[in-house]
Amino acid sequence: MTALWQAISTALIETVPEKKCELVNRLYDELLPTVNLTELADFPIVTPSQDIAGFPHKPLLVAPKDVPKRSFATEDGYAATLHAIAHIEFNAINLGLDAAWRFGRHAQQELGKGMAFVKDWLRVAREESTHFTLLNQHLKSLGYQYGDFEAHAGLWEMSQATAHDIWERMALVPRVLEARGLDATPVLQDKIRQRKDVDAVAILDIILRDEIGHVSIGNHWYHALSAKRGLDAMQCFGELLRKYRIVIFKGVINTDARLQAGFTQYELDWLYEIEQTLKNYIKAKII
């Protein structure tokens, strides 16, 4: 194993959030600039069943429907909302690490750009580490911390469902799950402004800026892989949404952010139309 592979594995398997962030930061800031292209050749092939991602013993993970509903107007309810965002960011650290760890060799074999792929996803992990740290520090300033509330594992479950195929992972994690954050963040910021929590609004500004870049990375690799496989990227994406029964848009669509992240207006309009059909199919229990 190379030093890079060992460092990615060590960060991915770590269960203590603060330690994981420290390892990711050191990996990206200090080790990555020193590696060379030949190191990727020594990355082992990871099978779909392999999963070493580490998670802390808290928060308690429950089904999405079982996450308690809390009022945004109460202190606990507001803290739970910030906690939910921190939980997404912690999962996103593992997602970035797992993409580099699991699919680096695949990107090399299929596209001849394995190191570029690894660097992109380690950058994602590094920025998600910053997001999580900022949110957890803010929670502590309010008298709470990560792990104080229940959470769900929906984001990580999708990563497990796509562990068999780099193309499906690029299609469904950054382009669907992470892209939802582009839509939700401005709406959430408006609600937070009513509480006059300027620090939280500023943190979400950083997250929105970086998430545009993360979705853009996913878009780039999804389209590159689609082209290499001779697939119609839009048509096949629609088929994946139907296969996994996924709804993309939930409420307001942040068109400007999605355009910056690599979607086209034509694609967004097309996705909106097929989503209405998909919702009708799901409602009618056709799929």
Side-chain angles (χ1 to χ4, degrees):
M1 295 184 186
T2 68
L4 179 59
W5 172 261
Q6 289 176 324
I8 296 172
S9 301
T10 300
L12 185 56
I13 203 171
E14 177 60 51
T15 61
V16 178
E18 292 81 2
K19 182 63 174 178
K20 187 185 287 285
C21 290
E22 179 184 332
L23 290 170
V24 168
N25 297 351
R26 190 183 309 144
L27 162 61
Y28 188 81
D29 298 343
E30 300 175 17
L31 177 60
L32 190 59
T34 71
V35 302
N36 56 60
L37 293 174
T38 60
E39 293 217 23
L40 192 66
D42 295 326
F43 274 34
I45 293 291
V46 178
T47 64
S49 62
Q50 290 177 270
D51 185 357
I52 66 169
F55 297 88
H57 70 281
K58 292 177 66 178
L60 175 67
L61 299 181
V62 298
K65 65 180 179 62
D66 295 328
V67 175
K69 304 292 184 183
R70 293 184 172 91
S71 170
F72 196 85
T74 68
E75 293 301 318
D76 278 356
Y78 179 59
T81 299
L82 297 180
H83 184 276
I85 304 170
H87 181 64
I88 291 171
E89 300 304 316
F90 179 80
N91 276 267
I93 299 171
N94 276 341
L95 286 168
L97 291 170
D98 185 78
W101 177 80
R102 183 178 303 279
F103 294 124
R105 278 288 296 277
H106 293 272
Q108 182 62 33
Q109 292 173 341
E110 194 160 350
L111 299 170
K113 297 180 178 180
M115 190 56 74
F117 181 90
V118 167
K119 287 181 176 179
D120 270 353
W121 288 103
L122 291 181
R123 170 194 153 193
V124 170
R126 176 64 174 91
E127 292 175 350
E128 303 291 11
S129 167
T130 297
H131 302 167
F132 172 81
T133 300
L134 290 171
L135 286 165
N136 198 30
Q137 288 174 342
H138 192 57
L139 276 170
K140 289 179 180 179
S141 75
L142 300 176
Y144 303 84
Q145 64 180 339
Y146 183 58
D148 282 351
F149 300 93
E150 294 175 331
H152 68 79
L155 188 60
W156 189 251
E157 287 170 356
M158 179 55 73
S159 78
Q160 293 173 310
T162 56
H164 63 289
D165 188 354
I166 183 177
W167 176 75
E168 287 200 5
R169 172 70 67 84
M170 295 299 104
L172 298 179
V173 173
R175 282 169 49 85
V176 176
L177 300 186
E178 292 195 79
R180 284 178 184 164
L182 306 184
D183 301 329
T185 299
V187 177
L188 185 57
Q189 285 179 298
D190 286 341
K191 295 177 66 177
I192 291 174
R193 286 188 184 96
Q194 296 176 21
R195 293 187 60 94
K196 303 188 185 310
D197 189 346
V198 295
D199 290 336
V201 172
I203 292 170
L204 290 178
D205 277 337
I206 294 170
I207 292 175
L208 179 58
R209 177 201 67 199
D210 292 345
E211 293 298 341
I212 289 173
H214 301 173
V215 177
S216 178
I217 286 171
N219 265 318
H220 167 76
W221 291 110
Y222 172 70
H223 284 286
L225 289 159
S226 296
K228 183 65 176 179
R229 296 184 183 188
L231 301 175
D232 183 314
M234 284 180 57
Q235 185 64 39
C236 289
F237 187 57
E239 292 170 2
L240 285 174
L241 297 178
R242 178 164 178 156
K243 173 183 174 180
Y244 286 92
R245 297 167 60 92
I246 292 176
V247 173
I248 302 179
F249 304 121
K250 294 188 175 183
V252 176
I253 302 172
N254 188 347
T255 301
D256 288 344
R258 283 181 175 269
L259 292 175
Q260 290 179 58
F263 290 94
T264 66
Q265 186 63 58
Y266 176 79
E267 183 180 16
L268 292 176
D269 293 341
W270 179 79
L271 286 172
Y272 183 81
E273 291 300 323
I274 67 168
E275 181 155 290
Q276 304 317 301
T277 301
L278 180 62
K279 286 180 179 177
N280 291 335
Y281 282 163
I282 293 174
K283 185 176 181 180
K285 299 183 178 179
I286 296 175
I287 60 173

